[in-house]
Amino acid sequence: MRISLIGAGRVAHHLAKALMSQHEIINIYSRSFDKAADLAQVAHAKAVSHFKQLNVDVDLVMIAVSDQSIPNVISALTEYLPNVLIVHTSGSTALSVLSTKHARAGVFYPLQTFSLEREIDWSNTPLFVEATENTDLQRLHTLAESLSQRVYSYSSAQRLSLHLAAVFACNFSNYCYDMAKQVVDAEQVDFSLLYPLILETAQKVTQNDPKQMQTGPAMRQDQNILQMHQQMLAQVQRENLAEVYALMSQQISQRHS
Amino acid sequence: MRISLIGAGRVAHHLAKALMSQHEIINIYSRSFDKAADLAQVAHAKAVSHFKQLNVDVDLVMIAVSDQSIPNVISALTEYLPNVLIVHTSGSTALSVLSTKHARAGVFYPLQTFSLEREIDWSNTPLFVEATENTDLQRLHTLAESLSQRVYSYSSAQRLSLHLAAVFACNFSNYCYDMAKQVVDAEQVDFSLLYPLILETAQKVTQNDPKQMQTGPAMRQDQNILQMHQQMLAQVQRENLAEVYALMSQQISQRHS
């Protein structure tokens, strides 16, 4: 397929690298032309500085920009590429945001967290596709299957629910790691000592219900430890951490009482 | 070494299985004799129903019971085994809790989360040892090195800080997974779709600072998505989850503003 990308951030970067081996990346547009040019060089594509410069002879335009920018991008795209299939890659934006402005609309959502520092295992990354037209849905399915073994046609409601779950499973667990690092940093203890624990905690919920895997003082209702931890956090004046500690411990205790 | 175990829960279970290949497990005591007998059978040891039945001819007694029970266990042990090295395996109990009652006191703390459902990779599990007497510290070091490549002599203060960090990195991240499962369960969406995301999120903080790895709507200050998520949680009447969502999002926004 001949594909153009709107955006040159983390998601666009990983999509371009994954797609270019089996497909042709035609254009890359970004508000920052420098970023578009950098990614275009990697993807053997042509960077453009305005939507009107986009090649109309493409099978698909993928939007990989912040959710807030999607509506404006669509308005501009549909003006210059009225007949091209346009998809967004957002977990939390309904198909209707696109389809109310553009007839051939779709979604191509990879359920993964993207960092420039790390390669993505695309073959195991679940991809969720959605489209207004059935033939386009088939096209997106085929495209997704060229990247991943796990391709699903999900409704916008299901996808939104998955994305909300992903905020808990990814963004909030990462913030827990961040808080853990703040705790050990305060005592000049090496954060890397926690790596085996972090990996085992993640791995075990891929085989068992996380509720059954819960451990720790809150689950055991161990009031002595809970109080001692609150005192330790108060001593190092970590009010944010104390607040999270209190709320999470209270909820874990309730859930397991 | 000739080792007896007090406790027959998850930690005792994993310790017994790890130690028995290179050492001899002599006795296992638990408040529940049935549990002690079950574990004794696995570990080729003798279960006992009272502290006075413990064999005095051992090199080491390891206490693997709940933190709350440690003081009572020590009082009983020191009466019958006054000259034996006794260690606890708790991250959050100071050495002094043991050493004020028993001369040859120590700590043998594995920084890991233990479930009966999963095997532990002991060679990569950090072990923290501490003892009142230097010769005993050496003994514990040697014992720990028979299990793991990562053995450290840490003070009680450092160990307590590590254990507090572990609550954030393990117990709270697991609760995040649990909440994520509640979100997808409500929409009959399969939790296993989140496995690649959960694993990648954990793996990437073993190579990069978690603060740098933060992603999501709160970090991007995306008010539309944050509001939509709060509405979704309100609709399915997940008040607990909404409370965590609000606090974590507010803190992540602050940390990245």
Side-chain angles (χ1 to χ4, degrees):
Chain A
M1 285 178 76
R2 291 168 56 84
I3 303 169
S4 284
L5 278 171
I6 310 300
R10 285 173 293 145
V11 176
H13 186 94
H14 280 285
L15 275 172
K17 281 177 68 178
L19 291 166
M20 65 182 283
S21 66
Q22 296 179 69
H23 306 276
E24 196 179 350
I25 313 293
I26 307 301
N27 290 141
I28 293 173
Y29 167 88
S30 162
R31 271 184 307 183
S32 151
F33 181 74
D34 287 350
K35 286 180 76 179
D38 285 350
L39 183 53
Q41 195 167 26
V42 173
H44 307 310
K46 184 168 184 289
V48 299
S49 58
H50 194 280
F51 292 105
K52 68 184 171 193
Q53 297 168 314
L54 289 167
N55 192 329
V56 295
D57 180 24
V58 293
D59 299 302
L60 175 66
V61 175
M62 296 183 111
I63 302 172
V65 300
S66 71
D67 298 286
Q68 288 153 313
S69 309
I70 293 176
N72 287 338
V73 166
I74 295 165
S75 302
L77 282 176
T78 197
E79 183 180 345
Y80 297 106
L81 305 171
N83 303 316
V84 173
L85 170 58
I86 299 176
V87 304
H88 73 65
T89 54
S90 159
S92 44
T93 303
L95 175 63
S96 58
V97 171
L98 219 167
S99 62
T100 50
K101 293 184 177 176
H102 186 82
R104 291 183 60 196
V107 177
F108 188 96
Y109 171 55
L111 180 55
Q112 189 49 281
T113 175
F114 297 95
S115 334
L116 294 179
E117 293 85 350
R118 286 180 59 85
E119 295 298 307
I120 293 296
D121 175 8
W122 281 96
S123 66
N124 282 313
T125 296
L127 297 178
F128 299 89
V129 292
E130 198 179 353
T132 44
E133 295 183 16
N134 249 325
T135 48
D136 286 335
L137 184 62
Q138 275 311 313
R139 277 189 192 93
L140 292 177
H141 234 285
T142 306
L143 177 70
E145 281 167 350
S146 74
L147 296 187
S148 170
Q149 299 161 342
R150 306 176 69 179
V151 178
Y152 306 90
S153 294
Y154 263 36
S155 70
S156 288
Q158 289 171 309
R159 181 164 37 76
L160 261 58
S161 160
L162 258 175
H163 182 257
L164 173 55
V167 168
F168 283 92
C170 166
N171 304 153
F172 292 170
S173 65
N174 185 78
Y175 185 56
C176 291
Y177 306 147
D178 184 7
M179 291 185 287
K181 186 164 188 295
Q182 292 177 55
V183 170
V184 290
D185 281 355
E187 289 283 328
Q188 276 102 50
V189 166
D190 188 356
F191 180 62
S192 74
L193 292 166
L194 293 163
Y195 291 171
L197 179 70
I198 286 171
L199 291 174
E200 171 66 12
T201 304
Q203 279 156 6
K204 70 183 188 176
V205 298
T206 67
Q207 293 179 354
N208 303 277
D209 183 342
K211 188 182 177 190
Q212 306 305 324
M213 292 296 103
Q214 189 66 54
T215 56
M219 197 207 72
R220 295 194 309 269
Q221 327 256 347
D222 188 330
Q223 298 305 327
N224 295 336
I225 307 285
L226 292 170
Q227 275 175 30
M228 183 183 72
H229 282 167
Q230 288 283 10
Q231 284 162 9
M232 287 168 69
L233 291 169
Q235 271 166 18
V236 291
Q237 296 184 308
R238 301 277 165 172
E239 284 156 34
N240 288 355
L241 275 55
E243 220 176 334
V244 172
Y245 190 95
L247 180 63
M248 299 284 261
S249 295
Q250 175 220 321
Q251 291 202 6
I252 293 170
S253 292
Q254 271 179 8
R255 184 148 170 83
H256 291 271
S257 63
Chain B
M1 287 178 75
R2 292 168 55 83
I3 303 168
S4 284
L5 278 171
I6 310 300
R10 284 174 292 145
V11 177
H13 185 94
H14 280 285
L15 275 172
K17 280 178 69 178
L19 291 166
M20 64 182 283
S21 65
Q22 298 179 68
H23 306 276
E24 197 179 349
I25 313 292
I26 306 301
N27 290 141
I28 292 173
Y29 167 89
S30 162
R31 271 182 309 183
S32 152
F33 181 73
D34 286 350
K35 285 181 77 179
D38 286 349
L39 183 54
Q41 195 167 24
V42 174
H44 307 311
K46 185 169 184 290
V48 299
S49 59
H50 194 279
F51 291 106
K52 69 183 172 195
Q53 297 168 315
L54 288 167
N55 191 329
V56 296
D57 179 23
V58 292
D59 299 301
L60 174 66
V61 175
M62 295 182 112
I63 303 172
V65 301
S66 71
D67 298 285
Q68 287 153 314
S69 310
I70 292 176
N72 288 338
V73 165
I74 295 164
S75 302
L77 282 176
T78 197
E79 183 181 345
Y80 297 107
L81 304 171
N83 303 317
V84 173
L85 171 58
I86 299 176
V87 303
H88 72 66
T89 54
S90 160
S92 45
T93 303
L95 175 64
S96 57
V97 170
L98 219 167
S99 62
T100 49
K101 293 185 176 173
H102 187 80
R104 290 183 62 196
V107 178
F108 188 96
Y109 171 54
L111 180 55
Q112 190 48 281
T113 176
F114 296 96
S115 333
L116 293 178
E117 292 85 350
R118 285 180 60 86
E119 295 299 308
I120 293 296
D121 175 8
W122 280 97
S123 65
N124 280 314
T125 296
L127 298 177
F128 299 89
V129 293
E130 199 180 351
T132 44
E133 293 183 18
N134 250 325
T135 49
D136 285 336
L137 185 61
Q138 275 311 312
R139 277 190 193 92
L140 292 177
H141 233 285
T142 306
L143 177 70
E145 281 166 351
S146 75
L147 295 188
S148 170
Q149 299 161 344
R150 305 176 71 180
V151 178
Y152 306 90
S153 294
Y154 263 36
S155 69
S156 287
Q158 289 173 308
R159 181 164 38 76
L160 261 58
S161 159
L162 257 175
H163 183 258
L164 174 56
V167 169
F168 283 91
C170 167
N171 305 153
F172 292 171
S173 65
N174 185 78
Y175 185 57
C176 291
Y177 306 148
D178 184 5
M179 291 185 288
K181 185 163 188 298
Q182 292 176 58
V183 170
V184 289
D185 281 355
E187 289 282 331
Q188 277 102 49
V189 167
D190 187 356
F191 180 61
S192 74
L193 292 167
L194 293 162
Y195 292 171
L197 179 70
I198 286 171
L199 292 173
E200 171 67 12
T201 304
Q203 280 156 5
K204 69 183 189 176
V205 297
T206 68
Q207 293 179 357
N208 304 278
D209 182 342
K211 188 182 177 191
Q212 305 306 324
M213 292 296 104
Q214 189 66 54
T215 56
M219 196 206 72
R220 294 194 308 269
Q221 327 257 347
D222 188 331
Q223 298 305 327
N224 295 335
I225 307 286
L226 292 169
Q227 276 176 31
M228 182 183 70
H229 283 168
Q230 288 283 12
Q231 284 163 7
M232 287 168 70
L233 291 169
Q235 271 167 18
V236 291
Q237 296 183 308
R238 300 278 164 172
E239 284 155 34
N240 288 356
L241 275 55
E243 219 177 335
V244 172
Y245 190 95
L247 180 63
M248 300 284 261
S249 295
Q250 176 220 321
Q251 292 202 6
I252 292 170
S253 292
Q254 270 178 10
R255 184 148 169 81
H256 292 270
S257 63

